Amino acid sequence: MSLLLDTPPHSLLLISFPHQLLHALSALRYYRMREGVPAQAPVIILIWAHQSSEHAADSSFRKILDYTIREFTFVSLVFPTLIERRFHLSPFRTLIDRIKWLRNRFINFSIDAVFFAHDASADQTAQLLLQSFPNATAVCFGDPPGFLYPPFHLHYQGALFKRGFWKSRARGISSQRIPDLSIVAVDFYDNRRSAGGNVLVLPRDVILETLATLQSGLEKAKDNLEFRHESIVKKEGPLDILLLSNFSESGLADGDRELELYGDICENFCAPGGRLLIKPHFGTSSGFLKKLRSRLASHETEIFPAFEARVPIELFPGLVRRGNVISVSSSSILLSSIFQSKVCHALTAERIRKYFKADRVAYMLEANRLIEKSLSDSFDWGRRVV
């Protein structure tokens, strides 16, 4: 990437997971339409994966990003090196020091807008971008497909020592920046002003156009990839597709309880002894999948092949339309709204109270209420709750 002092304004997107691409690029497209910014003005995507190994040149994470954005010729990916992650941009350094380094890293670029999912993480990487480019418009595209959270320090309730430590990392920062606006696929909050600023809802055609471009890049990568799930899908007969979440990895439930949750759901929503294709969450471990397969031994269970498992499910529209998709997360409303097809949302208040940690039940009940309300408002499926 050439560093020229007269480069045109760039937009800067912060991405940590492949499924954020659709939302970030859709928000970017819609923002530029509204603001009169050229659609193909240059874009930098700053990658901040939660695992430094994801930045390796041969990682599946990096390959997915490379393949899916290849049709976005105006987009450049920036992967911080291991040294940059562990030293210059380490969350254990003060924000002031990190800001100085990041500004110098992009000193030859004019940044007109910054896009991020949320600022609720202890590493404060989103706040780092917001503080580094104070004159740039701050746009939140939500925790997909549209959850909006207050900034980290405004809600953090951790142990006193941790709270004091993370607060000390922000010393010298006069105030936290919040988004100027949020552009989301699903408005869970009835368009009211919130911690996400003024809320705009993405038109469906903008999402579909962005999705088609991402899919095109992935299709053209087939010369280098073998999508083994396609042979599974082509088999005749009923097919149930279970989309996993990461409840135990994110501390919302214990591993054994999450296993029991999926067992309960499959007993009630899947055909007895039928074919079941499991789509792991990006953070699902191989050990958890092995236990889950054992737990679901009464079904003809197949696990999504490793590389494809990390590709967002919306990039496989044929799969979504082929089977009975069962979801326990906001994927229910996202897939329903994108494909205008029925998705079974299997998480209920009863299951949350039964399988989740006691101190996380209230949070999960509210999040699930918002998902169910959005499903009810958007479509009248006559959904079966067992």
Side-chain angles (χ1 to χ4, degrees), residues 249 259 280-294 303 306:
E249 289 290 330
L259 289 171
H281 185 274
F282 193 84
T284 305
S285 69
S286 57
F288 184 87
L289 288 175
K290 184 177 180 180
K291 291 179 181 178
L292 180 59
R293 194 163 194 168
S294 176
I303 307 292

Side-chain angles (χ1 to χ4, degrees), residues 76-210:
S76 300
L77 296 177
V78 173
F79 289 84
T81 65
L82 187 62
I83 291 176
E84 289 171 341
R85 280 183 62 100
R86 294 188 175 179
F87 180 65
H88 301 296
L89 293 174
S90 168
F92 297 107
R93 300 188 75 197
T94 64
L95 263 178
I96 288 291
D97 289 336
R98 295 163 74 194
I99 289 168
K100 290 177 181 176
W101 188 89
L102 193 66
R103 283 178 178 169
N104 187 64
R105 171 65 176 80
F106 292 106
I107 194 170
N108 293 318
F109 293 91
S110 171
I111 306 298
D112 64 351
V114 175
F115 293 74
F116 64 101
H118 63 79
D119 185 29
S121 298
D123 64 24
Q124 299 176 312
T125 304
Q127 191 63 209
L128 166 64
L129 265 66
L130 298 180
Q131 296 284 345
S132 296
F133 308 103
N135 296 322
T137 303
V139 183
C140 177
F141 56 83
D143 189 6
F147 286 106
L148 303 174
Y149 311 130
F152 175 74
H153 283 310
L154 300 187
H155 75 110
Y156 185 55
Q157 301 296 322
L160 182 61
F161 173 77
K162 287 186 177 180
R163 193 161 64 241
F165 174 78
W166 290 119
K167 185 175 181 179
S168 73
R169 300 302 84 196
R171 65 175 179 266
I173 303 297
S174 59
S175 62
Q176 287 182 292
R177 278 194 73 187
I178 63 171
D180 296 304
L181 74 160
S182 293
I183 304 177
V184 295
V186 178
D187 179 15
F188 291 115
Y189 305 95
D190 300 323
N191 203 31
R192 67 175 183 265
R193 185 174 176 83
S194 66
N198 290 322
V199 179
L200 301 177
V201 180
L202 285 164
R204 182 168 175 266
D205 62 337
V206 171
I207 300 175
L208 290 177
E209 288 169 10
T210 308

